Amino acid sequence: MKPAWSVILLTTQIGAAQGLFLLVFLLNIFKTPPREFVLVSCAVSLGLLISGLIASFFHLGRPERAWRAASQWRTSWLSREVIVLPAFMGMVALYGLLIFFEFEKNISIWVGGVAVLLCLALFICTGMIYACLPFLQEWRSPLTLVNFFLLGTASGLTLSVPLAVIAHPQFVGPLALGAFALAAVAWAVRIASLVRNARLRPKSTMASAIGIAHPRIVQKAQGFMGGSYNTREFFHRRPDLLVRAVRWSFLLLLFPVPAWLLGWGGGSLATFIAAFALQFAGLLAERWYFFAEARHPQNLYYQAAS
Amino acid sequence: MTTKQLALVIDLNVCVGCHACVTSCKEWNDGGSAGPLSDMNSYGKDPTGTFFNRVQTFEVGEFPDTETVHFPKSCLHCEEPPCVPVCPTGASYKRAEDGIVLVDYDKCIGCGYCAWACPYGARELDPTEKVMKKCTLCVDRITDELLPPQDRQPACVMACPTNARLFGDVHDPESVVSKAIRERGGYALMPEWETRPANQYLPRRKTEPKA
Ligand code: SF4
Ligand code: SF4
């Protein structure tokens, strides 16, 4: 598949936002972090959600009709995501306001709890958009959901470390440790899905595509000399070397590099910001690869211009 | 199985790869309810545009024992269309009365998700109108009562010089398409995804020279 930047920016940013919110909500229940830390985190989370939502509009041919996408929640995971994302944004904003106006803790916990449910639902919707398509075999796996969840929460946790430096220095150590551990788990699971996908055998073949049982079938003409939607949307057309370079770079940037900065970077604000920035760059590369790796069976029909 | 399911049956044994169905499809649908269908740089370096139907050519076997197969491909109007439930707006739907899979161009937001969900590459996002388009089985033509009955057929079927394209109701066992499927080994493309395409293909046959 051709990587779609709008969707890459949507999924990576909302993933980090979801992770950050989950963390802050849990901290606010079990510890009592200063109000500033909670407020800053909610604001950053909301900012990322808004920025992700804006990016997603660039994916649409007719963005002015986007509201229609909320109507098919009974059957479409995309429609469900379209409902859950703004609902989650609203609850994060409300939670932040309750904390800001120092409402009773009971109320904020209830509101935050609803936000947590929406947050988890959003992870499921986003992952299922990809995992529900049976013939995109690289995506058709529970690992797709697990990866979206782990990479999102890990990046959210990494993001919380520089925020803690600003608003709640006592937490820097434990948060950095948590970010380190979660990134390690996310990294390991992502490697597991790479291993799984490397072993996949495509179920569709030339023989099943045109229905002629013969081991050697070659396309001589796809029916046109120029390009079409089919030749643009489903092929990334990048050299193998680049695709492999992207894979190695995200494997380094998701865990080893930020882990080193978190643990042995000297503990300054700048190194923690760098840790998040580099991990996020790794996430962008990871999501790019996620698309590039998926082989759509329609490509069997578009092998040769003439 | 009682309701109607309109479909095409494509006879690979007689298709000669002339592309008459491609051009007549483009011509009819450019002006019909699905139109206009984009065309960009038609005579330039990188021509591109929206087509509902393509004729492709495959070579089967190893030289010198090869066979050339011309293979027309358009939306198969699947009985279990994976492109329909994923649509977030309801723009993609399957008509209850005749099984045609259609897009409501006024509702489509051009997200492209249905094209991801079609294993056959039958859907194209129109680069000018930014909505999803695909074969309509010439719905505006086959239902037009102002046309004489013999003309109420898809444009591609009317244009085919070798009669490689049959049109009818595959749920009616006595229709020309059902008989062709039954008697001449009609088959579905990519059965592994259980989309149950309504359109089917008739295989090539060996004919011994009679002299
Ligand atoms: S061929 Fe593709 S677009 Fe047509 S009904 Fe089947 S899945 Fe949908
Ligand atoms: S491109 Fe249009 S028809 Fe296809 S899924 Fe999106 S809204 Fe539905």
Side-chain angles (χ1 to χ4, degrees):
Chain A
M1 301 284 291
K2 182 175 153 200
W5 277 105
S6 47
V7 180
I8 293 174
L9 288 170
L10 165 73
T11 55
T12 49
Q13 293 187 95
I14 64 173
Q18 287 166 269
L20 182 60
F21 176 78
L22 278 182
L23 170 81
V24 162
F25 176 74
L26 291 177
L27 279 183
N28 205 20
I29 291 184
F30 297 113
K31 307 268 167 197
T32 23
R35 215 160 59 101
E36 292 70 46
F37 178 65
V38 180
L39 285 175
V40 169
S41 300
C42 283
V44 170
S45 171
L46 198 59
L48 283 170
L49 290 168
I50 292 171
S51 154
L53 185 65
I54 292 173
S56 75
F57 274 85
F58 287 92
H59 189 67
L60 305 182
R62 296 291 197 116
E64 75 280 8
R65 300 177 179 168
W67 58 273
R68 288 190 180 274
S71 68
Q72 302 301 306
W73 51 271
R74 285 184 202 80
T75 62
S76 168
W77 283 105
L78 179 52
S79 188
R80 290 171 196 157
E81 186 190 47
V82 165
I83 296 168
V84 172
L85 175 56
F88 174 57
M89 290 166 73
M91 292 312 273
V92 172
L94 184 59
Y95 182 75
L97 285 176
L98 293 180
I99 302 290
F100 182 77
F101 290 112
E102 296 181 75
F103 262 68
E104 239 179 276
K105 192 151 186 179
N106 262 341
I107 301 179
S108 67
I109 286 182
W110 273 105
V111 169
V114 174
V116 165
L117 289 180
L118 288 167
C119 177
L120 298 176
L122 184 55
F123 273 123
I124 294 173
C125 293
T126 314
M128 280 308 286
I129 287 175
Y130 304 93
C132 79
L133 302 172
F135 34 82
L136 281 159
Q137 290 169 262
E138 289 81 358
W139 298 348
R140 178 71 163 174
S141 158
L143 282 174
T144 299
L145 272 87
V146 178
N147 275 319
F148 272 80
F149 177 76
L150 288 175
L151 292 169
T153 46
S155 60
L157 211 58
T158 311
L159 176 56
S160 76
V161 183
L163 298 181
V165 174
I166 301 167
H168 193 32
Q170 297 96 294
F171 270 20
V172 170
L175 284 178
L177 196 64
F180 184 98
L182 199 54
V185 176
W187 191 64
V189 176
R190 190 61 181 91
I191 290 174
S193 81
L194 284 178
V195 172
R196 169 196 179 263
N197 289 354
R199 291 175 170 180
L200 285 175
R201 289 283 154 271
K203 273 198 201 164
S204 288
T205 59
M206 262 351 241
S208 76
I210 67 170
I212 294 178
H214 197 291
R216 190 183 176 280
I217 302 174
V218 218
Q219 186 171 56
K220 291 291 167 182
Q222 64 193 6
F224 50 98
M225 310 284 285
S228 76
Y229 184 68
N230 306 81
T231 63
R232 287 187 298 267
E233 175 73 6
F234 299 91
F235 295 86
H236 57 76
R237 308 213 187 269
R238 300 280 178 223
D240 244 23
L241 192 67
L242 178 82
V243 178
R244 262 181 286 148
V246 171
R247 185 175 64 213
W248 282 110
S249 60
F250 84 68
L251 283 176
L252 280 174
L253 289 170
L254 283 185
F255 174 62
V257 172
W260 185 76
L261 287 173
L262 287 170
W264 296 274
S268 72
L269 179 60
T271 42
F272 289 138
I273 291 178
F276 173 71
L278 288 170
Q279 189 177 56
F280 192 77
L283 269 180
L284 295 177
E286 185 274 335
R287 224 35 61 85
W288 187 92
Y289 187 86
F290 173 76
F291 279 98
E293 185 190 35
R295 289 163 296 183
H296 199 291
Q298 79 107 37
N299 293 5
L300 291 168
Y301 297 107
Y302 299 91
Q303 300 283 332
S306 65
Chain B
M1 281 290 275
T2 46
T3 51
K4 235 185 182 175
Q5 171 66 62
L6 295 178
L8 297 171
V9 165
I10 310 233
D11 189 349
L12 297 183
N13 197 46
V14 296
C15 173
V16 290
C18 70
H19 292 246
C21 52
V22 178
T23 50
S24 65
C25 166
K26 180 84 170 180
E27 189 271 335
W28 174 264
N29 286 300
D30 204 24
S33 66
L37 300 185
S38 295
D39 261 316
M40 286 144 149
N41 303 326
S42 317
Y43 301 99
K45 195 161 144 281
D46 285 309
T48 186
T50 308
F51 284 75
F52 292 168
N53 178 41
R54 296 287 199 181
V55 176
Q56 309 189 314
T57 302
F58 295 87
E59 188 178 81
V60 180
E62 197 97 44
F63 182 82
D65 296 317
T66 54
E67 218 176 311
T68 300
V69 178
H70 299 295
F71 177 85
K73 177 171 84 78
S74 54
C75 168
L76 307 168
H77 299 279
C78 302
E79 305 219 29
E80 302 286 348
C83 54
V84 168
V86 300
C87 174
T89 62
S92 276
Y93 63 105
K94 186 171 175 71
R95 292 224 300 192
E97 64 265 40
D98 52 19
I100 305 181
V101 175
L102 291 171
V103 180
D104 182 336
Y105 310 118
D106 294 329
K107 279 191 189 158
C108 173
I109 57 172
C111 66
Y113 194 30
C114 55
W116 291 7
C118 166
Y120 308 101
R123 293 175 165 252
E124 300 186 18
L125 193 74
D126 191 289
T128 325
E129 287 190 74
K130 310 275 187 209
V131 293
M132 198 53 77
K133 301 213 171 165
K134 59 176 275 303
C135 162
T136 67
L137 272 184
C138 287
V139 66
D140 50 350
R141 182 179 174 115
I142 58 176
T143 53
D144 185 349
E145 297 190 347
L146 296 175
L147 289 174
Q150 69 272 21
D151 286 350
R152 290 180 213 157
Q153 298 197 64
C156 56
V157 175
M158 304 278 297
C160 180
T162 64
N163 204 24
R165 308 178 71 93
L166 311 175
F167 169 65
D169 175 8
V170 289
H171 283 181
D172 168 7
E174 291 315 309
S175 68
V176 44
V177 279
S178 298
K179 278 191 191 146
I181 292 169
R182 207 162 51 230
E183 287 161 15
R184 293 168 56 196
Y187 64 84
L189 305 182
M190 293 186 186
E192 60 274 21
W193 304 121
E194 294 171 5
T195 55
R196 299 208 296 126
N199 284 12
Q200 298 204 21
Y201 287 72
L202 304 180
R204 291 172 63 81
R205 292 176 287 178
K206 291 268 180 284
T207 28
E208 296 300 329
K210 281 209 192 86

